[in-house]
Amino acid sequence: MQATQQRRDSNNMPELPEVETTARFIRANCLNRTITKVQVLWQRSVATPSAKVFSRRLLGAKVMDVLRLGKFVVIRLDPAAFLLGHMRMSGSFSIERLVSASHRHTRVVFTFDDESALRFIDPRKFGRFYLINDLNEVSAALGPDALDSALTPDRFIEMVKSKSGAIKPLLLKQSFIAGIGNIYADESLWLTGIHPLRKCAELQPKQVKRLLRAIRSILRRAISKGGTDSGDGVVDYGSFNPRVYGREGKQCKRCRGIIRRIVVGQRGTHYCPGCQKLKRSKGIK
DNA sequence: CAAACTCCCTGTTAGC
DNA sequence: TGCTAACAGGGAGTTT
């Protein structure tokens, strides 16, 4: 039988939508299964506890639920524990019905009682697993999830207003708001017409409200485009077409200006100088 | 306290 | 064509 796996290209670095899709994918395939074997092929893929303890403690654990927390895939286990996975740059999962030849970049393999296996593939070795008892250990360090309805526009406005720096680095800070990565940060700022270097305190409440709406619309759309099982066992994230991300030197789809790339907070940042002004111009000078 | 580095990694790409 | 060096990127840790 063919392996079930997820497909990813350069425009699909795991951010909130991809993690959500992945969590659903694992949930659909691994629910109620019991782990019978754990192979850690790259030790550092396991952040905590030690790879040895990690493997031992997972034996006999049953998958009770799979959810998403920010950019973490959270697997709730019985006996009570949480297995968290972070895909970082290049991580992805595949599920196999039969034990097949090992994929080149396999870092961790979880085998279940029905002899299926969940394989973690991660070329750049940045992905990490955490086995913890209290989910709060992680959630306490995260800001509200970008899609959590408990994060109201008013609250978001207050959160942004109290900050002194630029808006883009703030969107990437998981302790501020969880789930947004470099691609969606650039895209949502473009959609809202806000320059990435714009100072938070200078933003009008109305703009911040629009920004949150843009973030959510882009994330939701990406989720809906991903996660569709095409039937041949391949889960495709869908073709997400960035408006600015990775389009340096190309024409803005809105104003025909030329997309620029700058570095903000050590991150490549793409924006349209025509649509995203740093200073509000008052007509013709 | 926040911003800026440094490091972890390797596939991809630019430059020769 | 083939080689090398630079680069990208999320987050943890360290320094300014």
Side-chain angles (χ1 to χ4, degrees), chain A residues 35 52 58 86 98 112 115 122 137 143 149 247 260 271:
Chain A
I35 297 172
K52 194 177 170 185
L58 282 174
H86 198 301
L98 294 174
F112 297 103
E115 295 188 325
D122 185 23
E137 288 175 31
S149 58
R247 298 193 65 246
R260 283 229 280 261
Y271 74 103

Side-chain angles (χ1 to χ4, degrees), chain A residues 95-235:
Chain A
I95 289 164
E96 286 142 45
R97 299 286 164 181
L98 294 174
V99 179
S100 58
S102 68
H103 183 287
R104 185 147 91 102
H105 299 299
T106 300
R107 306 304 175 200
V108 184
V109 181
F110 305 90
T111 304
F112 297 103
D113 50 354
D114 63 352
E115 295 188 325
S116 66
L118 175 65
R119 182 195 296 274
F120 180 62
I121 300 159
D122 185 23
R124 297 197 187 173
K125 301 179 175 175
F126 279 5
R128 294 288 181 271
F129 285 98
Y130 309 75
L131 182 59
I132 59 177
N133 294 318
D134 184 1
L135 196 54
N136 211 38
E137 288 175 31
V138 170
S139 59
L142 296 175
D145 191 277
L147 288 184
D148 188 348
S149 58
L151 176 61
T152 62
D154 283 345
R155 188 176 159 215
F156 189 57
I157 289 167
E158 286 306 310
M159 284 165 58
V160 172
K161 197 162 69 180
S162 66
K163 296 294 173 179
S164 58
I167 185 66
K168 155 117 192 215
L170 195 63
L171 294 180
L172 293 180
K173 192 176 283 189
Q174 301 302 300
S175 57
F176 179 76
I177 183 168
I180 303 171
N182 208 29
I183 299 172
Y184 295 106
D186 282 0
E187 293 300 309
S188 52
L189 287 171
W190 176 85
L191 199 58
T192 327
I194 298 173
H195 192 289
L197 285 174
R198 194 69 189 277
K199 298 288 181 200
C200 294
E202 292 175 6
L203 287 166
Q204 300 300 312
K206 213 168 187 175
Q207 287 180 291
V208 179
K209 193 174 177 176
R210 287 183 58 218
L211 177 59
L212 181 62
R213 208 181 310 153
I215 288 167
R216 288 181 166 167
S217 121
I218 291 173
L219 293 177
R220 289 211 185 90
R221 183 159 168 275
I223 291 172
S224 72
K225 288 195 102 181
T228 40
D229 196 322
S230 55
D232 62 356
V234 177
V235 176

